[in-house]
Amino acid sequence: MKVALALGAGGARGLAHLGVLKALEDLKIKFDFLIGASAGGLATALYAYYGTADNAIDAVKQILKSPKYKEIQLEDFSVEKDRGLLRKAVEAVRETFMVAKGLVNKSLLSSDLVDDILADLLPDIAIEELPIPTGYVATDLVSAKDVVILGGNLRSAVKATGAIPGIFPPVELGDMLLVDGGATQKVPVVAALALGADVVIGVDVGRPPIPMSRFRSALDILIRIDNITAYRLNDLELALSDVVISPSVAHIQWYEFERIEEAVNIGYAEAIRMRTRLRRVLFVKPAVFALKKLVPIKDARRHIMPIARKFFKFYPSESLWRLRSSKRS
């Protein structure tokens, strides 16, 4: 029986993943592979490379103190409800500049700056060199399919899965142009199932749409519709997981990485709270699978692979079969 941990998108809220991983270590709950989307992809790589949650947390804290990180100024992309008149005027000018820049560039941040930070966080190695199997979900703008990156350069995979459209530049990989995997899979449960997982523990650090009644423009309405669609799609995907851990980090803005201690503590506490459910599923599930061999049980998951073939691409494809064959061994 293969157990997968599916880590979801959420920007700085994804730091809670490291708290969840720390709790699983303390609970001695094992898993066979990790798969992440966006911030979940970064957490996946950090944990697989550094070996423990504490080591990964320390690495992130060091980056947050660096001049390179401060140069990004992610807070410039925030949208706040309560702002003073002067602040509104200044931000109006800045937003106008960003819109103008967005009309002539593919992203608001340069690729070089992102590369420099990733170089300090992760080594220039292949995904296959990591001690545990990992996958990184991205969205291909060319084929309109989800891409599950299972091999190749680790930094490129992390950069692709976290390439927030419009803010970070798309990543070219073969004939693909990849952006944030959270665009279509907030928590990559279906991808984990397609890779052969029998049990999927989903970690959802997303934020449901906040009630809104005022919209300044057509763009506001389009963004709102996109958020609603992503939220509904995520709910359907989470229904296929065996356990969903949902740290209460909705109050943390996507760019507030400085709140790492808070996010980690919340993730840790929530995973500990779910320990009875986690242990029950991991204990009962093997018996259920043994029963299925004797009595056919209708299961929605048997439809996953046909769906994956239609909407997914695996890169490189041979990695998929290597991971699936390990399941049968």
Side-chain angles (χ1 to χ4, degrees), residues 37 99 148 157 186-187 213 228 232 242 257 281 289 306 312 322:
V99 169
V148 185
K186 294 290 185 186
V187 184
S213 59
I228 292 171
R232 298 282 178 84
D242 295 281
F257 288 91
V281 165
F289 273 91
F312 281 46
R322 184 159 61 248

Side-chain angles (χ1 to χ4, degrees), residues 35-311:
I35 184 164
S38 196
L42 175 60
T44 291
L46 290 172
Y47 186 78
Y49 174 67
Y50 287 100
T52 68
D54 281 336
N55 288 344
I57 292 166
D58 289 342
V60 174
K61 286 180 177 179
Q62 288 301 313
I63 287 296
L64 294 177
K65 296 176 184 177
S66 71
K68 292 178 185 178
Y69 172 75
K70 298 183 186 304
E71 189 179 340
I72 292 182
Q73 296 181 322
L74 290 176
E75 66 274 10
D76 284 354
F77 304 101
S78 68
V79 178
E80 299 176 5
K81 282 185 177 181
D82 301 318
R83 298 179 292 183
L85 185 60
L86 179 59
R87 177 89 179 265
K88 285 182 180 179
V90 172
E91 293 192 359
V93 173
R94 187 182 63 200
E95 286 176 7
T96 301
F97 167 75
M98 288 185 176
V99 169
K101 186 176 180 181
L103 290 175
V104 296
N105 295 282
K106 291 181 181 179
S107 65
L108 296 175
L109 291 177
S110 73
S111 179
D112 291 342
L113 193 54
V114 178
D115 289 341
D116 284 347
I117 291 178
L118 277 180
D120 289 342
L121 263 179
L122 294 166
D124 190 18
I125 62 172
I127 293 170
E128 292 90 341
E129 296 179 56
L130 294 172
I132 59 175
T134 59
Y136 309 84
V137 179
T139 305
D140 181 19
L141 295 177
V142 177
S143 66
K145 290 186 176 183
D146 291 340
V147 178
V148 185
I149 306 172
L150 300 167
N153 187 267
L154 177 62
R155 289 181 191 166
S156 294
V158 171
K159 189 176 175 182
T161 190
I164 301 173
I167 295 179
F168 297 109
V171 176
E172 293 186 24
L173 188 63
D175 59 350
M176 300 177 292
L177 192 60
L178 303 178
V179 295
D180 195 321
T184 53
Q185 287 197 68
K186 294 290 185 186
V187 184
V189 175
V190 172
L193 293 171
L195 290 171
D198 300 309
V199 174
V200 180
I201 301 170
V203 185
D204 183 15
V205 294
R207 182 166 60 178
I210 300 170
M212 293 178 63
S213 59
R214 295 182 181 180
F215 302 93
R216 295 180 301 174
S217 65
L219 180 59
D220 282 351
I221 295 173
L222 289 172
I223 292 173
R224 178 66 170 178
I225 290 296
D226 181 66
N227 289 339
I228 292 171
T229 301
Y231 178 64
R232 298 282 178 84
L233 184 62
N234 187 47
D235 271 359
L236 289 173
E237 191 155 354
L238 286 175
L240 293 171
S241 61
D242 295 281
V243 182
V244 179
I245 301 174
S246 302
S248 299
V249 288
H251 60 289
I252 297 177
Q253 299 297 327
W254 74 268
Y255 55 87
E256 293 182 318
F257 288 91
E258 293 82 0
R259 299 175 74 171
I260 180 170
E261 289 281 359
E262 181 183 358
V264 166
N265 290 338
I266 292 172
Y268 183 89
E270 182 61 17
I272 293 295
R273 191 185 73 82
M274 295 288 291
R275 62 186 179 275
T276 301
R277 168 69 177 162
L278 287 164
R279 286 169 173 158
R280 184 183 297 125
V281 165
L282 293 173
F283 174 77
V284 172
K285 202 65 181 281
V288 172
F289 273 91
L291 178 63
K292 284 185 179 183
K293 293 180 180 179
L294 301 174
V295 182
I297 299 176
K298 195 171 184 180
D299 189 349
R301 294 184 178 191
R302 61 192 171 91
H303 301 295
I304 293 300
M305 281 311 293
I307 292 172
R309 291 190 190 100
K310 184 175 181 180
F311 296 110

Side-chain angles (χ1 to χ4, degrees), residues 10-58:
R13 294 186 290 274
L15 295 170
H17 290 312
L18 299 178
V20 170
L21 287 161
K22 181 174 172 61
L24 295 183
E25 289 175 355
D26 290 348
L27 294 170
K28 301 192 184 319
I29 291 176
K30 307 292 184 181
F31 48 86
D32 296 282
F33 65 93
L34 275 164
I35 184 164
S38 196
L42 175 60
T44 291
L46 290 172
Y47 186 78
Y49 174 67
Y50 287 100
T52 68
D54 281 336
N55 288 344
I57 292 166
D58 289 342

